[in-house]
């Protein structure tokens, strides 16, 4: 299997951590779309949103997603990449989409444990635990819609990678 593997899920789901480990296990390349956009724009996500608004940021995200898609690559998407139907369809048509699903309390604990305010501005202005509940409520159906596989993202990254490898192996056997 050499097609692109897209990691989707909310902020704090482990897309980057698990994606890097999965890339290493498969001998694939790894790209985080948020980091790719920051390097290309020479701005943080917060600065992009401040200058261009969320609409401008989302346009950049769609372009970045398409630009980085290539064989034998793991792509960690931004948590909101699934908001655009164009992105959901693109990922489904150009690779395998894995949704790392975690409850809001786990996401909030992870984000509180390693805050990085320059990366992603708050979406709601509320405390992170409340924000994650609201974000998941709004996006859960979209994550499900985009995903070929939904996996429990609460475990240790190596456990999650092992789950993904098992799913991918079963997929290639079909």
């Amino acid at each position: 299997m050499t097609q692109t593997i897209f990691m989707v899920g909310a902020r704090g789901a482990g897309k980057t951590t698990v994606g890097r480990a999965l890339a290493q296990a498969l001998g694939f390349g790894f790209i985080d779309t948020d980091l790719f956009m920051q390097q290309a724009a020479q701005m943080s996500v917060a600065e992009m949103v401040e200058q261009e608004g969320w609409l401008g940021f989302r346009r950049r995200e769609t372009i970045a997603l398409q630009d980085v898609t290539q064989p034998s690559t793991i792509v960690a998407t931004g948590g909101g990449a699934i908001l655009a139907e164009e992105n959901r369809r693109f990922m489904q048509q150009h690779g395998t989409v894995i949704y790392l699903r975690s409850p809001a309390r786990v996401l909030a604990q992870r984000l509180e444990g390693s805050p990085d305010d320059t990366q992603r501005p708050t979406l709601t202005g509320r405390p992170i635990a409340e924000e994650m509940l609201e974000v998941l409520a709004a996006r859960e159906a979209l994550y499900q819609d985009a995903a070929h596989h939904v996996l429990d993202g609460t475990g240790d990254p190596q456990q999650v990678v092992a789950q993904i490898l098992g799913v991918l192996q079963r997929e290639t056997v079909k």
Side-chain angles (χ1 to χ4, degrees):
M1 184 190 82
T2 61
Q3 68 180 350
T4 307
I5 298 172
F6 299 97
M7 310 295 290
V8 301
R11 187 166 52 133
K15 301 178 301 283
T16 298
T17 301
V18 170
R20 278 193 178 113
L22 180 62
Q24 187 172 17
L26 291 171
F28 278 25
F30 174 79
I31 297 174
D32 178 302
T33 58
D34 281 352
L35 294 175
F36 177 84
M37 288 189 303
Q38 288 175 76
Q39 290 169 348
Q42 294 295 298
M43 288 188 274
S44 70
V45 170
E47 290 168 333
M48 284 182 245
V49 171
E50 186 179 315
Q51 288 185 18
E52 301 172 9
W54 280 107
L55 190 61
F57 174 76
R58 296 293 177 210
R59 269 195 303 272
R60 280 183 184 267
E61 192 169 51
T62 294
I63 293 165
L65 181 66
Q66 294 173 9
D67 285 350
V68 302
T69 298
Q70 55 188 312
S72 302
T73 303
I74 308 295
V75 177
T77 65
I82 48 79
L83 292 172
E85 183 175 354
E86 175 184 2
N87 293 346
R88 295 191 307 273
R89 299 299 156 242
F90 178 85
M91 290 186 289
Q92 286 178 325
Q93 293 167 4
H94 291 89
T96 299
V97 184
I98 296 175
Y99 169 27
L100 294 182
R101 187 177 193 195
S102 295
R105 65 175 169 69
V106 171
L107 299 171
Q109 287 171 346
R110 289 177 179 171
L111 293 171
E112 288 168 347
S114 60
D116 190 350
D117 295 333
T118 64
Q119 293 298 314
R120 182 70 62 147
T122 177
L123 297 169
T124 63
R126 295 193 176 130
I128 195 68
E130 290 177 30
E131 180 171 303
M132 295 319 297
L133 277 170
E134 194 172 311
V135 166
L136 284 180
R139 296 180 180 175
E140 178 65 24
L142 299 175
Y143 289 129
Q144 296 272 352
D145 179 54
H148 291 104
H149 305 286
V150 179
L151 296 172
D152 179 359
T154 60
D156 171 85
Q158 290 304 322
Q159 292 172 318
V160 178
V161 167
Q163 285 180 47
I164 295 169
L165 291 172
V167 164
L168 295 174
Q169 187 174 26
R170 286 190 297 278
E171 191 175 83
T172 58
V173 171
K174 288 182 182 178

